[in-house]
Amino acid sequence: TTKIRIGIAGYGNLGRGVESALAQNGDMELVGVFTRREPGQLKLLGNAPVLHIDDIGQYQGKIDVLILCGGSKNDLPEQGPALAALFNTVDSFDTHAKVPEYFEAVNQSAEPAGNTAIISVGWDPGLFSLNRLFGEAVLPEGATYTFWGKGLSQGHSDAVRRVPGVKAGVQYTLPVPEAVERVRNGELPQLSTREKHKRECFVVLQEGADAAAVEQAIVTMPDYFADYDTTVNFLDEETLRRDHEAMPHGGFVIRSGTTGQGNTQVVEYSLKLQSNPEFTASVLVAYARAAHRLNQMGQAGAKSVLDVPPGLLSPKSAAQLRKELL
Ligand SMILES: NC(=O)C1=CN([C@@H]2O[C@H](COP(=O)(O)OP(=O)(O)OC[C@H]3O[C@@H](n4cnc5c(N)ncnc54)[C@H](OP(=O)(O)O)[C@@H]3O)[C@@H](O)[C@H]2O)C=CC1
Ligand SMILES: N[C@@H](C[C@H]1CC(C(=O)O)=NO1)C(=O)O
């Protein structure tokens, strides 16, 4: 059987994670990495071809699924619709407030081209979304809570790096202990966004940049920081590299509800990630398999993880899954 031919668009933490995840999936092969930078400057883990993204049109018909690894703040809003017109795609778009409009924009490109585009793949949005859905579908009377961290959010770190005057930076998400405590005690509390998490940024300024202006641009940023108590710490590049290279993360989704005869039921799904990008990339690769199959089944247009039958994620046949997992 022929392998599923994969392309990577954008080579950062996620792109590198996809490259290494593909090596763990024998039914797939990496055809090429596409970058907006000078291809020769990229240092890959393996020896796949690296091309400038402007040349990606030549690869139509040679790639079964293109995995988009750009940043959600600035890259995917433009790359998502543009590339879904040319290829089947999966991406990790995670600006939650903008998902409906992004879905529409990608669908308008993918559908007419007969391409399948699964958006917002990863863990949140992604696997956490699925567990929020299971929880409220099964326990209609109840409450759902999502907590992240303490860990490095790649979406928020990308957003920090895009602020004018920022040379490098990362963002950590910290759950508020009292909020977690009250949820775990089954109090079913009403918690505002601000009451659940705090955000802590570490930023290297560009030469001559105004620290106060950068801090203000971060803490007021809509969809990313405005609704949270956010702190910004400034440090030099050496310290950032020394103390903030690792990208651990994690969190959990909890659904607490009562069933028809008044019994309390609690569902929990949790992640402990040593590498956020490698895990997210592994989710993207499983959904690339599903995107390829959905397209073969004639299911074109934009999808989210909530639309994808879970069996399509596995390299095993439906019969094998029934035998092994049911
Ligand atoms: N749904 C989910 O659960 C998750 C979603 N994500 C999403 O993944 C997105 C990407 O995260 P991440 O890979 O960490 O972002 P990076 O900042 O590492 O990379 C983003 C893009 O920037 C470019 N780039 C990377 N490194 C450099 C560099 N040194 N100099 C110049 N340009 C560079 C690359 O594009 P190019 O090669 O074209 O230059 C790359 O595609 C996040 O914005 C987030 O939204 C992440 C984790 C979980
Ligand atoms: N999309 C997130 C994945 C999780 C982490 C997160 C956060 O810390 O705010 N929200 O969702 C990421 O980019 O890491």
Side-chain angles (χ1 to χ4, degrees):
T1 50
T2 52
K3 296 196 174 200
I4 301 170
R5 300 165 299 171
I6 301 290
I8 292 173
Y11 196 73
N13 301 312
L14 221 48
R16 192 172 301 109
V18 169
E19 186 187 10
S20 52
L22 288 169
Q24 293 185 321
N25 287 269
D27 61 332
M28 301 190 186
E29 62 181 346
L30 179 56
V31 167
V33 173
F34 301 87
T35 178
R36 293 163 302 184
R37 282 169 285 163
E38 178 44 52
Q41 80 171 80
L42 259 52
K43 300 272 168 293
L44 264 56
L45 298 172
N47 51 16
V50 183
L51 299 109
H52 195 276
I53 196 146
D54 290 348
D55 300 329
I56 200 164
Q58 297 161 23
Y59 274 73
Q60 276 194 287
K62 297 185 183 126
I63 289 173
D64 295 310
V65 184
L66 184 66
I67 301 182
L68 314 189
C69 297
S72 292
K73 182 82 170 45
N74 295 356
D75 302 337
L76 292 179
E78 174 251 319
Q79 293 181 320
L83 295 169
L86 305 176
F87 301 97
N88 295 324
T89 62
V90 291
D91 72 50
S92 65
F93 185 76
D94 68 357
T95 315
H96 294 262
K98 295 209 160 76
V99 161
E101 77 185 72
Y102 181 73
F103 182 94
E104 282 313 317
V106 170
N107 191 52
Q108 275 164 25
S109 283
E111 177 102 78
N115 292 331
T116 304
I118 310 177
I119 73 156
S120 297
V121 172
W123 52 289
D124 202 348
L127 302 182
F128 275 18
S129 315
L130 283 169
N131 282 276
R132 290 191 282 262
L133 176 134
F134 295 148
E136 66 175 44
V138 170
L139 295 170
E141 289 184 16
T144 302
Y145 299 88
T146 301
F147 283 100
W148 310 292
K150 177 181 181 186
L152 183 144
S153 168
Q154 294 178 254
H156 293 81
S157 301
D158 169 65
V160 162
R161 289 192 287 268
R162 306 304 173 110
V163 170
V166 171
K167 184 174 187 190
V170 292
Q171 188 264 202
Y172 296 96
T173 310
L174 300 95
V176 174
E178 298 74 22
V180 177
E181 178 91 15
R182 291 182 61 198
V183 169
R184 287 216 182 284
N185 289 343
E187 288 176 33
L188 297 181
Q190 298 280 336
L191 296 165
S192 69
T193 297
R194 199 173 294 276
E195 287 172 314
K196 285 189 276 192
H197 296 92
K198 296 195 182 308
R199 298 192 176 280
E200 198 169 34
C201 305
F202 290 86
V203 169
V204 178
L205 288 172
Q206 283 168 358
E207 202 61 38
D210 173 353
V214 165
E215 177 167 0
Q216 189 58 16
I218 292 171
V219 301
T220 60
M221 191 188 300
D223 300 330
Y224 284 87
F225 295 101
D227 296 337
Y228 296 90
D229 295 340
T230 302
T231 54
V232 181
N233 308 281
F234 295 101
L235 73 189
D236 62 46
E237 201 149 19
E238 194 40 49
T239 310
L240 185 83
R241 214 197 321 275
R242 188 193 63 210
D243 300 344
H244 302 280
E245 190 141 63
M247 287 178 260
H249 213 342
F252 61 95
V253 171
I254 194 164
R255 175 77 177 176
S256 176
T258 51
T259 35
Q261 296 165 52
N263 289 295
T264 297
Q265 324 278 25
V266 179
V267 179
E268 181 164 342
Y269 173 80
S270 76
L271 295 178
K272 290 178 183 56
L273 307 178
Q274 191 174 18
S275 166
N276 185 352
E278 284 183 43
F279 181 79
T280 304
S282 301
V283 182
L284 283 162
V285 165
Y287 275 89
R289 182 179 292 118
H292 177 56
R293 288 167 164 176
L294 282 170
N295 196 255
Q296 288 178 319
M297 292 153 64
Q299 305 247 340
K303 315 280 176 196
S304 83
V305 298
L306 307 179
D307 306 312
V308 180
L312 296 182
L313 297 173
S314 171
K316 297 175 179 173
S317 69
Q320 231 179 325
L321 289 173
R322 275 193 291 278
K323 187 159 159 279
E324 292 178 18
L325 299 189
L326 266 190

